[in-house]
Amino acid sequence: QVQLVESGGGLVQAGGSLRLSCAASGIIFSINRMGWYRQASGKQRELVADITTGGSTNYADSVKGRFTISRDNAKNTVYLQMNSLEPEDTAIYYCNVEYRTVRLTTLDAWGQGTLVTVSP
């Protein structure tokens, strides 16, 4: 079983920055894709960004040029640096990790979510 612990959310003014972190722990053979999703009030959960083991990244159009995803494979941790934040970025942000167990089964896990609030 894998546990994900997120940190870094909070309240920030428009134009400000925040950095989210998500650390994975447990019995893991390997971690494949790591990503961040968000869900604003009354809206569906959407992909913000993800990153492969090799470092290839993918971003939602709405965050391109403002957000940067990165990972530290030695620490099983993924980060999301968010700059030039806008009120529209207000949401609960969830970490998602695709991993392989020691039995080589591919599963995915979700973090508990961290709230990001951007004031005008």
Side-chain angles (χ1 to χ4, degrees):
Q1 191 173 358
V2 170
Q3 295 80 41
L4 303 180
V5 178
E6 302 168 359
S7 60
L11 173 64
V12 65
Q13 288 189 328
S17 298
L18 284 173
R19 188 190 193 210
L20 305 183
S21 299
C22 173
S25 63
I27 302 174
I28 304 170
F29 178 76
S30 66
I31 293 180
N32 301 334
R33 190 187 64 85
M34 306 181 84
W36 289 94
Y37 290 72
R38 67 185 180 187
Q39 187 166 18
S41 180
K43 295 187 177 181
Q44 290 188 328
R45 190 173 298 188
E46 63 175 358
L47 175 68
V48 176
D50 60 14
I51 183 168
T52 66
T53 305
S56 295
T57 58
N58 176 50
Y59 294 92
D61 288 343
S62 59
V63 307
K64 283 180 181 177
R66 300 188 298 122
F67 291 10
T68 301
I69 189 170
S70 60
R71 62 189 284 173
D72 185 332
N73 291 328
K75 296 181 179 180
N76 288 342
T77 299
V78 61
Y79 306 96
L80 185 68
Q81 177 66 43
M82 304 185 293
N83 298 329
S84 302
L85 282 160
E86 303 169 353
E88 293 74 23
D89 296 316
T90 295
I92 299 175
Y93 284 71
Y94 297 92
C95 173
N96 175 257
V97 170
E98 181 184 274
Y99 66 99
R100 297 175 76 188
T101 70
V102 293
R103 295 179 181 267
L104 303 184
T105 300
T106 299
L107 300 173
D108 74 330
W110 289 90
Q112 79 282 3
T114 185
L115 178 62
V116 171
T117 303
V118 184
S119 62

